[in-house]
């Protein structure tokens, strides 16, 4: 679950993520929720959400791409255990591809310079 994001339905119901729009994950409603003084249900859900972090998942903690992985493990934490190997393999292959492409760019000074220039001088 992305840090600092939530899903809000058209009725104002609040959930920790768009993948968790289920009654057991309902955090409250925009009209009545008080994040400064959370009720028991909200506290319970916030604790569950906190426990879904990669920094608390043994498999993620041992993974070589743990600091650059952009995969959302929360989608597997509610109903599918453990995180499917195919999901992790895809994330690893994607990171390998990006690292290889960056190394290729870095080996050509002109391409690297253009790449960096495009990142920092993005227009539009």
């Amino acid at each position: 679950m992305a840090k600092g994001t939530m899903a809000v339905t058209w009725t104002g119901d609040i959930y920790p993520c768009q993948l968790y729009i289920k009654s057991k994950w309902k955090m409250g409603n925009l009209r009545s929720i008080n994040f400064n003084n959370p009720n028991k249900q909200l506290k319970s859900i916030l604790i569950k959400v906190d426990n879904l972090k990669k920094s608390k998942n043994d498999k993620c903690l041992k993974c070589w791409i743990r600091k650059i992985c952009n995969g959302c493990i929360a989608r597997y934490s509610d109903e599918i255990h453990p995180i499917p190997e195919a999901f992790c393999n895809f994330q690893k292959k994607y990171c390998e591809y990006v690292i290889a492409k960056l190394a290729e760019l870095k080996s050509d000074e002109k391409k690297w310079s253009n790449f960096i220039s495009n990142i920092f001088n993005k227009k539009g």
Side-chain angles (χ1 to χ4, degrees):
M1 291 180 197
K3 187 176 182 178
T5 64
M6 291 182 214
V8 181
T9 66
W10 68 274
T11 59
D13 292 337
I14 304 170
Y15 299 87
C17 168
Q18 77 275 7
L19 298 173
Y20 282 73
I21 298 179
K22 301 174 187 174
S23 59
K24 70 179 182 178
W25 287 96
K26 183 178 173 183
M27 299 168 73
N29 189 282
L30 285 175
R31 296 180 191 100
S32 60
I33 198 165
N34 183 347
F35 284 102
N36 293 323
N37 187 17
N39 62 28
K40 197 165 148 182
Q41 177 186 357
L42 178 56
K43 283 181 186 177
S44 171
I45 291 172
L46 291 173
I47 289 168
K48 287 179 187 176
V49 168
D50 188 59
N51 287 331
L52 295 176
K53 292 178 181 175
K54 291 178 195 169
S55 62
K56 295 188 178 185
N57 180 290
D58 288 338
K59 186 174 184 175
C60 294
L61 287 171
K62 295 173 186 171
C63 182
W64 71 270
I65 65 164
R66 69 187 168 280
K67 299 214 181 208
I68 57 174
C69 176
N70 66 350
C72 176
I73 65 167
R75 70 178 69 178
Y76 301 111
S77 300
D78 190 28
E79 297 172 5
I80 304 171
H81 285 287
I83 301 167
E85 200 60 39
F87 173 81
C88 294
N89 288 340
F90 173 80
Q91 295 300 322
K92 290 173 188 173
K93 289 289 182 193
Y94 180 75
C95 286
E96 288 170 3
Y97 174 79
V98 170
I99 291 167
K101 284 295 180 185
L102 288 172
E104 182 183 316
L105 283 173
K106 185 69 173 147
S107 68
D108 182 323
E109 191 57 43
K110 185 174 181 178
K111 286 182 181 179
W112 183 254
S113 180
N114 286 338
F115 172 72
I116 296 298
S117 178
N118 286 333
I119 290 174
F120 293 108
N121 298 320
K122 192 94 174 161
K123 294 179 183 173

